[in-house]
């Protein structure tokens, strides 16, 4: 029986296996999935931090009417905390410095007139002063031992800054799965070749490879000719060296679509073959005991592309322990008619509006072989199988690939 998309997706996620973890330098952790909590090793900020260049005073003196402050010393950033010895004086302070002991308020140079009197530098206040101004209080952003990052976080630029701040030079991240992308078909020639009229350059393995590369995964590439015995041999040699296979083609009803039988011969447990979706109906999925999970995607380029983002990427993210992603939605910007009893994945261009709404514009699309249509799209909008007419203004889920 053919599964619907929801059932197929559930079945795919039930096979998720943990890829395990490894420790890497925080500098090479960008794009990886964190697998340990990261705590604040000390308060943020770690001391009462001066936020303006100027002077630090004791507010009481100002409150009593004092306007002129004699400079005692300078507290620069990166120097140990000084102490004001005469409470009626001030300390010059620089942004990033520790607030001097016995001071509690910082007045910026912009609110001061500088002068000199009997060899002493002094400042006269020319603007109202608020007690405690221009100080970033110790621990006001984050208390020590707060969990800053939880397992499952995707490490990006904001996370890199936090890892650096807490001195986390080595970080535990998900191990990247070993993936093989497998092309099939006698019509395919290498990219560097000049194809004969009846031949094509293999493209699917490169778009799949690029999708994986964006997740930090460098897949190996394998090509299979339409020859069942050779397919068995080549795939058998891959069984123990890979965690995931993503193949393209040879799973439909053609005379030379040997892959389902070949996978069965190798001992794969088939989870399903065919899903009520367009494109991508011939999608076959299975697992080997102590061997790879197999995403046997249809050969038509848009089909394989859509299946990658709908099934493969969520599986890989879950296997690496990534926090689940929020579903995205968009407003259909033009009406669509599609009456096959299949969930329809239509390439759309997303455009966010000044009113905050995301519009999805269906792109000219000649069907699942139309690989160039993806150049003008950012996502697939998902139109449910139960309906045939989809009106402008209706809201549907989108699966983004850009
Ligand atoms: P198949 O599922 O093997 O019948 O392939 C369906 C269509 O996709 C055929 O037109 C194939 O030539 C094409 N195709 C299959 N694999 C690839 C690939 N790796 N790159 C480009 N086109 C492919
Ligand atoms: Mg083929």
């Amino acid at each position: 029986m053919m599964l619907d998309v929801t059932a197929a997706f559930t079945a795919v996620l039930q096979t998720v296996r943990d890829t395990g973890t490894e420790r890497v330098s925080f500098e090479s952790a960008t794009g990886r999935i964190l697998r340990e909590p990261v705590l604040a090793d000390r308060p943020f900020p770690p001391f009462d931090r001066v936020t303006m260049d100027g002077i630090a005073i004791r507010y009481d003196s100002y409150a009593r009417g004092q306007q002129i402050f004699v400079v005692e010393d300078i507290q620069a950033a990166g120097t140990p905390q000084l102490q004001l010895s005469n409470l009626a004086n001030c300390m010059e302070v620089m942004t990033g410095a520790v607030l001097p002991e016995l001071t509690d308020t910082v007045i910026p140079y912009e609110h001061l007139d500088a002068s000199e009197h009997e060899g002493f530098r002094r400042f006269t206040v020319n603007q109202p002063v608020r007690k405690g101004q221009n100080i970033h209080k110790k621990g006001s952003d984050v208390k020590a031992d707060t969990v800053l990052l939880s397992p499952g976080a995707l490490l990006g630029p904001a996370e890199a800054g936090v890892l650096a701040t807490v001195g986390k030079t080595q970080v535990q991240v998900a191990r990247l799965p070993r993936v093989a992308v497998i092309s099939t078909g006698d019509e395919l020639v290498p990219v560097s070749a000049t194809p004969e009229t009846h031949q094509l350059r293999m493209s699917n393995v490169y778009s799949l490879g690029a999708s994986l590369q964006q997740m930090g995964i460098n897949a190996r590439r394998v090509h299979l000719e339409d020859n069942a015995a050779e397919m068995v041999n080549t795939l058998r040699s891959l069984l123990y060296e890979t965690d995931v296979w993503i193949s393209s083609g040879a799973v439909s009803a053609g005379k030379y679509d040997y892959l389902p039988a070949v996978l069965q011969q190798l001992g794969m447990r088939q989870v399903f073959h065919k899903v009520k979706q367009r494109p991508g109906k011939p999608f076959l999925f299975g697992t080997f005991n102590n061997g790879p999970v197999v995403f046997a995607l249809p050969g038509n380029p848009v089909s394989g592309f859509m299946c990658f983002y709908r099934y493969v990427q969520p599986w890989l993210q879950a296997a690496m322990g990534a926090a689940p992603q929020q579903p995205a939605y968009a407003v259909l910007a033009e009406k669509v008619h599609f009456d096959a009893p299949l969930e329809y994945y239509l390439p759309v261009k997303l455009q966010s509006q000044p009113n905050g709404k995301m519009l999805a514009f269906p792109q000219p699309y000649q069907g699942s072989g139309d690989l160039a249509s993806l150049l003008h799209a950012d996502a697939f909008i998902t139109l449910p199988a139960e309906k045939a007419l989809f009106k402008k203004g209706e809201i549907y889920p989108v699966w983004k690939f850009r």
Side-chain angles (χ1 to χ4, degrees), residues 5 277-279 306 310 343-347 380-382 399:
V5 173
Q277 60 186 10
R278 183 175 297 165
M306 168 271 179
R310 185 65 184 84
E343 193 160 297
Y344 191 37
Y345 284 76
L346 183 64
F380 291 99
I381 196 162
T382 308
W399 293 80

Side-chain angles (χ1 to χ4, degrees), residues 303-316:
S303 310
F305 199 86
M306 168 271 179
C307 288
F308 181 88
Y309 288 95
R310 185 65 184 84
Y311 301 96
V312 185
Q313 188 176 61
W315 188 98
L316 292 168

Side-chain angles (χ1 to χ4, degrees), residues 23 42 47 71 79 94 110 132 139 157 181 188 248 274-275 359:
R23 288 178 80 72
R42 50 188 200 145
F47 50 83
V71 176
T79 58
M94 303 299 130
E110 294 86 328
V181 286
L188 301 179
S248 161
K274 296 200 170 84
V275 181
L359 291 187

Side-chain angles (χ1 to χ4, degrees), residues 184-185 187 226 249-250 257:
T184 67
E187 73 278 31
D226 291 322
D257 288 339

